């Protein structure tokens, strides 16, 4: 039996529920598209045609994730055309009052992480496991249309993780032990991002300001602590597969707000209703 009351397409949504839901959906949709724009910029690092091809597939799928969620938002009365236009017309610095793009996918932050193809492979190896865990929870959320869409997104995120493992193993295949050493030194910076992906703790002095509300409505269904445990287990197994070690005592970077921590500075999501 479901722990939370569920809602399907066409159901009347409580005002608070709809507001919270659209906050998270807009962060996911806008950020998926902005993330695709950032990933496309990394094409300049591709060392071989197969790497370029596989990265382009990831770009297409990330844009697709934004499209899927925007369709659901449109059903709820949101003008999604204007959100896309803001992102395509101002890709480097979209207006925070018009779209909800997580800080990690803003160019001024993203560009500081990438200097070579090693970074590209490691991002998908080290950060994407956090997306697998975080977005995976939405398959069980109380808004059923969003839950169904995230089943497909979750599968494709697993594919993006597989791309990262493949790319990182290829780096070692072509670059040998020197490449492995370089990559090992880069793991920690991406792990900080991965640890911050799912938001601040659910309790204590660093407690998330919004988590309880999302959890009460069943929009988020797992605690940050549960997601962290899943992330670390998945990360350790993938690093081992590549031939890398997991750093210890790494502090999360919450400033990138990779976990769609919709707060007071979230853009308003206007609806026609």
């Amino acid at each position: 039996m479901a722990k939370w009351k569920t809602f399907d397409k066409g159901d009347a949504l409580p005002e608070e529920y709809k507001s919270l839901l659209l906050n998270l959906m807009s962060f996911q949709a806008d950020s998926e598209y902005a993330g695709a724009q950032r990933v496309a910029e990394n094409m300049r690092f591709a060392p071989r045609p197969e790497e370029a091809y596989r990265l382009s597939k990831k770009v297409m799928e990330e844009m697709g994730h934004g499209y899927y969620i925007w369709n659901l938002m449109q059903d709820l009365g949101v003008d999604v055309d204007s959100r896309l236009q803001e992102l395509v017309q101002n890709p480097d610095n979209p207006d925070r009052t018009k779209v909800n793009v997580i800080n990690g996918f803003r160019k001024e932050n993203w560009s500081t992480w990438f200097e070579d193809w090693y970074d590209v492979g490691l991002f998908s190896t080290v950060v994407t496991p956090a997306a697998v865990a975080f977005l995976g929870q939405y398959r069980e959320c109380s808004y059923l249309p969003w839950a169904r869409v995230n089943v497909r997104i979750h599968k494709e995120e697993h594919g993006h993780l597989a791309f990262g493992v493949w790319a990182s193993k290829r780096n070692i295949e072509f670059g040998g032990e020197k490449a492995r050493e370089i990559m090992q030194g880069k793991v920690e910076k991406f792990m900080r991002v991965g640890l911050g992906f799912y938001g601040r703790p659910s309790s204590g002095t660093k407690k998330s300001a919004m988590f309880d509300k999302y959890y009460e409505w069943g929009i988020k269904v797992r605690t940050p602590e549960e997601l962290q445990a899943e992330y670390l287990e998945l990360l350790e197994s993938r690093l081992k597969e590549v031939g890398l070690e997991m750093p210890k005592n790494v502090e999360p970077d919450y400033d990138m707000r990779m976990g769609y921590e919709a707060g007071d500075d979230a853009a308003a999501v206007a609806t026609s209703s």
Side-chain angles (χ1 to χ4, degrees):
M1 182 176 179
K3 182 177 180 180
W4 296 278
K5 176 179 173 59
T6 59
F7 301 91
D8 211 332
K9 182 177 180 178
D11 290 347
L13 304 181
E15 183 177 346
E16 182 183 50
Y17 179 86
K18 184 175 181 181
S19 176
L20 292 169
L21 176 68
L22 285 174
N23 265 333
L24 288 190
M25 289 177 69
S26 66
F27 266 103
Q28 185 180 7
D30 298 354
S31 298
E32 293 274 19
Y33 192 89
Q37 292 176 307
R38 300 287 82 81
V39 172
E41 294 168 358
N42 284 343
M43 189 65 74
R44 68 190 189 276
F45 298 123
R48 289 168 290 274
E50 187 171 0
E51 275 81 350
Y53 163 70
R54 294 200 183 199
L55 187 64
S56 68
K57 185 173 184 292
K58 180 181 177 182
V59 172
M60 180 192 71
E61 288 177 350
E62 297 286 19
M63 289 184 173
H65 298 172
Y67 171 64
Y68 308 151
I69 307 300
W70 276 332
N71 281 344
L72 301 183
M73 293 171 63
Q74 190 169 39
D75 290 340
L76 295 175
V78 177
D79 175 12
V80 297
D81 293 353
S82 65
R83 305 183 83 86
L84 171 68
Q85 290 304 309
E86 178 60 27
L87 288 168
V88 298
Q89 293 173 12
N90 302 293
D92 292 350
N93 188 29
D95 190 334
R96 294 176 186 271
T97 68
K98 296 179 180 179
V99 291
N100 286 329
V101 174
I102 52 181
N103 287 342
F105 288 164
R106 288 188 170 274
K107 188 166 185 175
E108 70 266 23
N109 297 315
W110 177 275
S111 62
T112 65
W113 299 334
F114 296 92
E115 58 186 10
D116 51 37
W117 186 253
Y118 296 131
D119 289 324
V120 177
L122 284 171
F123 181 87
S124 289
T125 304
V126 179
V127 180
T128 299
V132 169
F134 182 83
L135 297 177
Q137 71 176 315
Y138 292 150
R139 295 172 299 166
E140 303 170 36
C141 76
S142 57
Y143 189 59
L144 299 181
W146 195 27
R148 289 189 285 263
V149 161
N150 272 292
V151 170
R152 176 174 181 176
I153 291 175
H154 185 254
K155 290 179 180 178
E156 292 183 350
E157 290 294 345
H158 265 291
H160 300 168
L161 173 54
F163 160 78
V165 171
W166 172 84
S168 294
K169 290 171 73 173
R170 289 260 289 187
N171 281 332
I172 296 174
E173 176 187 345
F174 283 91
E177 180 61 21
K178 179 62 176 178
R180 194 199 69 78
E181 292 176 359
I182 293 172
M183 291 165 61
Q184 183 65 61
K186 292 172 175 282
V187 171
E188 182 171 344
K189 71 175 179 179
F190 289 116
M191 189 173 169
R192 292 183 68 240
V193 177
L195 284 169
F197 197 108
Y198 33 76
R200 298 182 183 277
S202 61
S203 61
T205 57
K206 296 182 178 180
K207 179 179 178 179
S208 162
M210 299 293 292
F211 175 78
D212 286 347
K213 292 184 178 180
Y214 292 126
Y215 192 80
E216 178 183 350
W217 283 106
I219 300 173
K220 287 186 177 183
V221 300
R222 301 185 67 195
T223 67
E225 292 78 10
E226 290 172 327
L227 295 173
Q228 181 184 73
E230 181 179 346
Y231 167 63
L232 291 174
E233 181 179 356
L234 189 55
L235 173 62
E236 186 170 24
S237 69
R238 295 307 186 269
L239 287 176
K240 183 177 181 180
E241 183 178 348
V242 172
L244 300 172
E245 297 179 0
M246 188 161 75
K248 300 182 183 301
N249 303 317
V250 178
E251 291 294 322
D253 183 354
Y254 294 121
D255 290 339
M256 293 301 98
R257 301 211 8 215
M258 300 298 284
Y260 316 126
E261 183 70 13
D264 293 338
D265 60 340
V269 185
T271 68
S272 59
S273 58

